[in-house]
Amino acid sequence: MGESVQTLAYGSWPSPIDAALAAAHDGRPEDVGFVGDEVWWTAPRPTEGGRRTLVRRHPDGTEEPVLPAPWNVRSRVIEYGGRPWAALTTPSGPLVVFVNFADQRLYAYEPGGAEPRPLTPVSPVGGGLRWAEPQPRPEHGEVWCVLEEFTGDGPGDVRRVLAAVPLDGSAADDRKAVRELTDDRHRFVTGPRVSPDGRRAAWLAWDHPRMPWDGTELIVADIGPEGTFRDARTVAGGPEESIPQADWAPDGSLLYASDRTGWWNLYRDGRPLCTREEEFGGPLWKLGQRWFAPLDNGLIAVVHGRGATALGILDPESGEVVDAAGPWTEFAATLAVHGERVVSVGAGPRSAYEVVELDTRTGRARVIGAPHHDAVDPAHYPEPQVRTFTGPDGRDIHAHVYPPHHPGCAAPDGELPPYVIWAHGGPTSRSPLVLDLEIAYFTSRGIGVAEVNYGGSTGYGREYRNRLRERWGVVDVEDCAAVALALADEGTADRARLAVRGGSAGGWTAAASLTATDVYACGTIIYPILDLTGWGTGETHDFESQYLESLVGPLAEVPDRYAERSPAEHADRVTAPFLLLQGLDDVICPPVQCERFLTRMAGRGVPHAYLAFEGEGHGFRRAETMVRALESELSLYAQTFGFDAPGVPALELTE
């Protein structure tokens, strides 16, 4: 006989997915690469202070962390970072070059040998010296990489160049021993890709006020025998053409992804290889992201799709793409190839991100690292629905809807569930359709979740992305509200129990939704942007310091628009309870924004809570922080929506 089903109010279902379990499974493997025949990657360690370690997979399939605590393999270049490690094989074993988060120095390390030794110096100026995309060039005795160098104390006092660091450690205390490969005429650069014959280098560059998904330049230079770059010239790209990645094919032709047709498609020496209305690239939030990788046999491994991504093999002669079979519905922008082997990181609605290898000889794809293990019975996982809603002016709005789901619980007849609308960050990004135990934390308790890929999201072409141009705080707010109201109108959600939630740019959308609409009964606002004028005049880091030029408009031309859309300017319009979560070390969305907003909320009688976390930056990484944040969010919904949350500490709301 089957187990009996309990009848309990939505939100109060007992769940085996607690906040500690969700926190322990936060993060994913990234930055995959081959070291000889071995596959290596970086991996999160939320219970070890939120550090990232480097993991190697031995030929027998065993995994081993390469670096013990407290080593933290993570770059801060452009604050979002970039590929933080590389390695080469030597007669004595692997030699690893990596960025250590605490001091941002480059280190060299031979696993099993002495302690890592520094290759770069510490600078006392501003944010110091930072490095990304290290590429060992043993023929020159150097590692080539991106150097971000602060020249003053302000976030905009910075220059970025391509640089060569001696592998012998002679620059560990001597900045002058670092050889610059380029000048600093461009504000932003990616790491150089060297042609198979070693004679040319290609990299991307762009300048304020453009973001890399607006327009980039593909630059090629000749490399002299002594390792100098000569005759740098732009070969593709421009102000309205985004090129997020370039690489060399084995025959010396130049491959790159460009959205010149409205979709990020692949090109070889300027000629299209596979013209489709889908993406073979994405937004370059981290330096070194890879959506394609050329194989020695002339084929190209690709991460591609429309609203989702698959791992496939492109034949550049026929334009045919054959995708890897398997349960994965999303692959991350990380790829490595070795011979006929392809490695990436994939996930699906029933599995978290894991390291996947595709053997192009057999077509077989299999998990080889960080395998997903069901921490609870997967019967408690949500069952998502891919939906397209109709928004203002009849525009499409893409969303993932996760109804409440519990194998042993049902709600009383006639009760409709509460729903939380999730607004993703970016905002030039999107929500992937993958297993997320934070979502399961809510759905398994009887709270529905809807992730909205509002206008401006990636994965649906440049026209869809451009919907948000000068309309941030309008289109995103409207699209989220349209999905929430549609769910209520169709009888899926309780109209009186809708909430909105988001972090970073999603925190902006959540806060703006509370000031501009009456759709939501409460909201959770996580490390948000709240004051456009402040954020656009020095209260953020250099990379996004002029992002608002495209999202809102030039401040000098439309200052009233900045004030009109900022939640901090309209605290008097907030009537719904809210939870505000903030990392005190956040330099992207700094705490001053929250403090300004709360000052204007004081004495207004709106129940709210503000939790600020020492040692956390932009994106929580420590298990204890994530536990408190999730439990506090659930408590807010319990108090607002009127259900019990057994075992969860009550969040104290003040007015």
Side-chain angles (χ1 to χ4, degrees):
M1 295 179 63
E3 296 182 7
S4 60
V5 175
Q6 291 180 280
T7 300
L8 296 170
Y10 284 118
S12 62
W13 298 349
S15 171
I17 303 171
D18 61 16
L21 186 67
H25 288 77
D26 189 77
R28 68 191 191 198
E30 294 179 345
D31 306 308
V32 296
F34 280 96
V35 182
D37 290 330
E38 296 182 357
V39 179
W40 294 32
W41 62 89
T42 64
R45 293 291 186 264
T47 59
E48 298 179 19
R51 77 181 184 102
R52 291 191 71 88
T53 190
L54 188 59
V55 174
R56 69 187 294 186
R57 180 185 185 271
H58 291 283
D60 63 3
T62 58
E63 296 178 18
E64 177 190 11
V66 176
L67 290 156
W71 297 104
N72 187 352
V73 185
R74 184 177 154 216
S75 169
R76 283 189 62 183
V77 168
I78 69 169
E79 294 302 343
Y80 291 107
R83 188 175 178 86
W85 75 277
L88 69 157
T89 55
T90 72
S92 59
L95 174 65
V96 185
V97 177
F98 70 94
V99 180
N100 183 49
F101 181 74
D103 56 13
Q104 287 298 290
R105 299 173 85 182
L106 269 180
Y107 286 82
Y109 177 56
E110 297 181 26
E115 282 283 293
R117 55 184 176 85
L119 298 180
T120 58
V122 173
S123 169
V125 180
L129 301 173
R130 301 175 179 178
W131 312 86
E133 291 197 77
Q135 300 172 38
R137 306 302 302 178
E139 70 274 22
H140 297 292
E142 297 172 329
V143 54
W144 293 0
C145 45
V146 174
L147 163 60
E148 180 177 80
E149 180 174 27
F150 281 81
T151 58
D153 293 332
D157 298 329
V158 63
R159 61 192 295 269
R160 297 177 185 89
V161 298
L162 301 183
V165 176
L167 280 167
D168 62 8
S170 57
D173 296 305
D174 183 6
R175 167 66 180 84
K176 294 180 181 178
V178 175
R179 188 168 64 91
E180 296 192 7
L181 298 167
T182 64
D183 58 28
D184 58 0
R185 73 181 66 181
H186 291 291
R187 190 70 166 192
F188 303 96
V189 292
T190 64
R193 307 296 299 178
V194 178
S195 62
D197 62 8
R199 294 181 177 180
R200 291 176 294 168
W203 67 94
L204 305 175
W206 68 98
D207 295 285
H208 286 315
R210 286 178 284 153
M211 300 300 287
W213 42 86
D214 296 325
T216 53
E217 296 178 30
L218 172 54
I219 299 175
V220 172
D222 298 324
I223 302 175
E226 67 283 9
T228 56
F229 286 12
R230 305 169 177 171
D231 188 27
R233 63 268 187 197
T234 298
V235 299
E240 292 294 327
E241 179 182 355
S242 169
I243 298 176
Q245 185 195 338
D247 209 339
W248 300 94
D251 64 1
S253 58
L254 183 57
L255 303 170
Y256 58 90
S258 165
D259 71 347
R260 63 182 58 161
T261 64
W263 298 85
W264 276 304
N265 283 184
L266 287 185
Y267 295 80
R268 179 170 60 191
D269 288 338
R271 298 186 302 274
L273 292 180
C274 182
T275 302
R276 297 187 180 189
E277 288 192 350
E278 60 178 83
E279 310 283 32
F280 289 77
L284 191 66
W285 280 102
K286 294 183 178 182
L287 304 186
Q289 289 179 289
R290 298 189 80 186
W291 292 268
F292 68 88
L295 292 154
D296 291 341
N297 59 12
L299 302 177
I300 305 171
V302 292
V303 170
H304 71 107
R306 181 170 179 160
T309 50
L311 174 64
I313 301 297
L314 166 65
D315 182 341
E317 302 307 321
S318 67
E320 180 184 9
V321 180
V322 178
D323 289 335
W328 311 285
T329 56
E330 189 75 32
F331 280 86
T334 182
L335 271 176
V337 298
H338 178 60
E340 293 170 308
R341 299 164 63 194
V342 178
V343 172
S344 187
V345 174
R350 312 291 287 179
S351 63
Y353 285 97
E354 47 198 359
V355 182
V356 178
E357 178 179 277
L358 171 63
D359 187 328
T360 61
R361 295 169 301 175
T362 64
R364 181 188 176 205
R366 63 189 180 114
V367 175
I368 64 162
H372 170 78
H373 295 292
D374 290 316
V376 297
D377 186 339
H380 292 88
Y381 296 161
E383 298 178 352
Q385 304 166 358
V386 179
R387 300 280 304 272
T388 301
F389 295 87
T390 301
D393 304 320
R395 63 180 183 248
D396 288 344
I397 307 169
H398 303 288
H400 304 146
V401 177
Y402 298 82
H405 178 76
H406 192 298
C409 292
D413 289 343
E415 183 183 359
L416 291 175
Y419 258 80
V420 184
I421 303 299
W422 282 31
H424 63 71
T428 309
S429 184
R430 68 178 168 84
S431 296
L433 186 68
V434 300
L435 177 64
D436 183 339
L437 290 189
E438 284 198 12
I439 292 176
Y441 177 80
F442 294 106
T443 58
S444 62
R445 287 171 166 76
I447 302 170
V449 171
E451 295 180 309
V452 181
N453 284 323
Y454 48 80
S457 300
T458 55
Y460 307 97
R462 186 167 186 128
E463 183 180 351
Y464 195 85
R465 290 205 313 274
N466 284 349
R467 285 186 187 176
L468 211 57
R469 280 203 168 180
E470 298 198 2
R471 290 178 58 77
W472 193 38
V474 179
V475 167
D476 50 324
V477 170
E478 290 178 347
D479 286 2
C480 286
V483 171
L485 294 175
L487 291 172
D489 291 345
E490 70 186 25
T492 297
D494 185 342
R495 174 64 183 87
R497 295 194 293 175
L498 298 172
V500 63
R501 180 246 217 207
S504 188
W508 153 271
T509 300
S513 296
L514 295 183
T515 61
T517 78
D518 61 358
V519 171
Y520 307 102
C522 63
T524 301
I525 305 166
I526 310 169
Y527 36 83
I529 300 159
L530 296 169
D531 177 0
L532 292 179
T533 302
W535 201 77
T537 55
E539 286 183 359
T540 190
H541 63 138
D542 184 58
F543 177 57
E544 293 180 277
S545 62
Q546 296 184 39
Y547 196 3
L548 300 183
E549 293 272 314
S550 59
L551 288 175
V552 182
L555 177 59
E557 297 176 17
V558 289
D560 293 345
R561 189 183 296 169
Y562 278 61
E564 176 56 34
R565 294 189 193 170
S566 293
E569 295 291 332
H570 301 291
D572 59 306
R573 298 179 185 173
V574 179
T575 58
F578 64 89
L579 168 63
L580 190 54
L581 302 167
Q582 177 68 43
L584 291 177
D585 292 346
D586 193 339
V587 297
I588 296 173
C589 296
V592 66
Q593 295 247 322
C594 291
E595 294 159 5
R596 189 177 300 136
F597 179 70
L598 291 170
T599 296
R600 295 170 182 175
M601 287 296 305
R604 295 204 52 255
V606 177
H608 66 275
Y610 177 49
L611 302 182
F613 300 97
E614 294 276 0
E616 291 283 12
H618 198 68
F620 301 150
R621 294 176 179 271
R622 298 179 177 181
E624 60 270 26
T625 301
M626 291 184 274
V627 167
R628 189 172 181 209
L630 265 181
E631 291 183 340
S632 298
E633 185 177 353
L634 179 60
S635 179
L636 171 70
Y637 301 150
Q639 293 179 56
T640 305
F641 296 151
F643 60 79
D644 294 326
V648 174
L651 174 69
E652 182 179 351
L653 298 173
T654 62
E655 298 183 357

